[in-house]
Amino acid sequence: MTLRLHNTMTRSAEPFAPLAPPHVSVYTCGPTVYNYAHIGNFRTFLFEDMLRRWLEASGYRVFHVMNLTDVDDKTINGALKAEVSLAEHTARFIAAFHEDREYLRILPAHVYPRATEYVAPMIAMVESLLEKGVAYKGDDGSVYFAIAKFPGYGKLSRLDTRELQAGAGGRTSADEYDKADARDFVLWKAARAEDEQVGAAWDAPFGRGRPGWHLECSAMALDLIGKELDAEVLDIHAGGIDLVFPHHEDEIAQSCAHTGRDEFARVWMHGEFLTMSGTKMSKRFGNILTARDLREEGVDAGTVRLLFATTHYRAPLDFTDQALDAAREGSRRLGAFGARLAAAGAGGSSPSLDAVAAELDTAFTEAMNDDLNAPRALAALFDAVREGNRLLDAGESPGPSLQAVWSRTTDVLQVLPLASGPRVVTMADARDGLEESGGDSDWAVAWAGRRLAAKHARDWPEADRIRDLLTTAGWEVRDRKDGSAEVVRAAG
RNA sequence: GGCGCCGUAGCCAAGUGGUAAGGCAGAGGUCUGCAAAACCUCCAUCACCGGUUCGACUCCGGUCGGCGCCUCCA
């Protein structure tokens, strides 16, 4: 069973075959750093993280590039408004992006190129396109790409089979009349006074200005994979589904026109949208939820990741509190099993548990190989939890196999809660003179010890009072068969 | 108007020509001082209407409903 990935270009799942295995180049469109990224953005980044982790788990050596768009209308406007330089303005949101990324346990890309650091390669590419005659300078001093000169235009988004209604999106820019064709897109924008004010203008042979949005991805991707892998074609290019047109279509046009190759990426992967209670997140609806909002509410990353993993990356996902609650409980259950496995050790031997491990391994791998079918992979995990718990309840003693498979599979999805495992409590932990308030781990163990003492004295009201106290502080107490108990942090 | 996605149990969600994974919630049970956890059992005929087929949730046509893209939004 080999990995199959859905390619937007062909609209079908194809066997994955990188150009130079085991190396795989992956380019993912990163955030525009003008604001805190919202969870819709992060749904895409999490899908890409899952892709990255699965490729690596499958033995590939991934070279992952994610760009940071740090010069565009929004970043410039933001800098103007805050009355700081562009660099100062974006630095803040770049730092925030990485904080959020770490919170969500997203592996760092190998390189995070920023558009402002790649102006020279971008200028070189524009010159190349001008020389080849596929770009032209408009009356406004900007440089545009001539769609008509690029026969393959529209393949990715199936533009050839549809009509473009000019301005249908209501976002047509005022300078459209400077283009020869309404569909032509800007490669280089002539500098305005505002651009100069925030330091967003560079000299170029064809006039002072700043790069257009699409240009950065082509220039940075080609530069980086050229240096790293000596390649001119990406193995995988991924992003949100809204980037198919025009962003990726335009990237293909300028990149292929530049390299002379017939493709820019072997596989194009696009993640579906996340909606909030049925509608797209936007400032207009006031329904933006950021990663830091979740973090501040104490939501564990495992909960978020499980919520997203329950829906296939190419299916729309509606974010609701109910779904989040369900994910939290599921994550807790998985984490509890993981902790139980770890506590059970690997010194025993159990053909039944080995069979559970083998089944999990097979089912998980098949699911992930089938275009990253995380919902099915998750089902395999839950099947293993149920069977594993049943066998452990029956007194089976695990060998090393289940623990190994469990670690390998859960590492890919990262859906377990971060909360530490349970701490075992005995009567020896009972201490007098405890404060009623507290909350840390030692405090919880001490109170749980006192509860055991109360239980031993058959003082049920006191035992229950202490349990309530612990519950209020966010700790769960569970009695064990041997007379001891355990306390565990309730999942967030 | 064009292009695309989706409509599966109370909620979330896989699947796909041969009689519907998994999770959450709920009900009953085992265990327990009581709980919790864990386990067991129960809980759908797949928006609607036609058609193809021995057989369709799965293929084709249509209808209704939801969502997205159509120049810089993941």
Side-chain angles (χ1 to χ4, degrees), chain A residues 393-457:
Chain A
D393 279 353
E396 297 269 337
S397 176
S401 68
L402 185 52
Q403 179 66 257
V405 175
W406 179 260
S407 298
R408 201 168 58 68
T409 51
T410 52
D411 270 358
V412 173
L413 298 180
Q414 293 289 321
V415 290
L416 270 48
L418 216 50
S420 50
R423 284 187 63 179
V424 176
V425 183
T426 64
M427 281 220 274
D429 294 308
R431 286 211 323 261
D432 289 328
L434 287 170
E435 294 288 332
E436 297 267 310
S437 61
D440 69 9
S441 186
D442 290 339
W443 174 88
V445 168
W447 270 109
R450 285 190 63 174
R451 177 174 162 275
L452 281 180
K455 268 188 68 179
H456 192 69

Side-chain angles (χ1 to χ4, degrees), chain A residues 26 33 42 47 55 65 89 147 167 227 249 252 263 289-290 325 408 459 489:
Chain A
V26 178
V33 285
F42 276 107
F47 135 62
L55 286 169
V65 179
H89 185 63
I147 295 303
K227 283 176 184 155
E249 198 69 75
I252 292 171
E263 60 184 4
L289 182 68
T290 64
D325 288 342
R408 201 168 58 68
D459 183 357
R489 239 312 161 211

Side-chain angles (χ1 to χ4, degrees), chain A residues 29-46 66-68 74 90 92-104 106 274 281 283 287-295 304 308:
Chain A
C29 287
T32 300
V33 285
Y34 73 106
N35 208 338
Y36 299 116
H38 56 65
I39 56 167
N41 299 314
F42 276 107
R43 183 189 182 195
T44 299
F45 302 149
L46 282 165
M66 175 179 270
N67 69 300
L68 299 173
K74 282 179 301 205
T90 57
R92 185 177 147 213
F93 294 110
I94 290 172
F97 167 70
H98 284 296
E99 281 171 24
D100 294 344
R101 179 184 63 67
E102 280 173 25
Y103 156 60
L104 289 170
I106 294 170
L274 174 122
M281 267 190 282
K283 279 188 183 150
N287 61 350
I288 302 258
L289 182 68
T290 64
R292 50 195 46 217
D293 289 335
L294 289 173
R295 192 177 52 182
V304 180
F308 289 178

Side-chain angles (χ1 to χ4, degrees), chain A residues 294-316:
Chain A
L294 289 173
R295 192 177 52 182
E296 279 161 19
E297 284 168 24
V299 178
D300 188 274
T303 297
V304 180
R305 295 188 63 121
L306 178 60
L307 172 60
F308 289 178
T310 54
T311 303
H312 186 90
Y313 79 89
R314 285 192 295 107

Side-chain angles (χ1 to χ4, degrees), chain A residues 160-201:
Chain A
D160 44 334
T161 64
R162 66 185 189 177
E163 294 167 26
L164 263 193
Q165 189 172 347
R171 284 185 290 174
T172 306
S173 63
D175 58 354
E176 190 166 26
Y177 53 80
D178 288 315
K179 301 190 228 173
D181 183 317
R183 298 174 307 167
D184 289 353
F185 59 91
V186 69
L187 293 165
W188 187 260
K189 281 190 160 182
R192 304 166 305 167
E194 303 94 291
D195 301 338
E196 298 286 1
Q197 199 179 323
V198 297

Side-chain angles (χ1 to χ4, degrees), chain A residues 5-22:
Chain A
L5 296 174
H6 184 271
N7 188 352
T8 306
M9 188 62 89
T10 59
R11 312 281 155 128
S12 61
E14 303 167 346
F16 179 59
L19 283 165

Side-chain angles (χ1 to χ4, degrees), chain A residues 365-377:
Chain A
T365 301
E366 273 182 17
M368 291 302 285
N369 276 344
D370 183 14
D371 193 30
L372 308 179
N373 194 326
R376 238 169 67 207

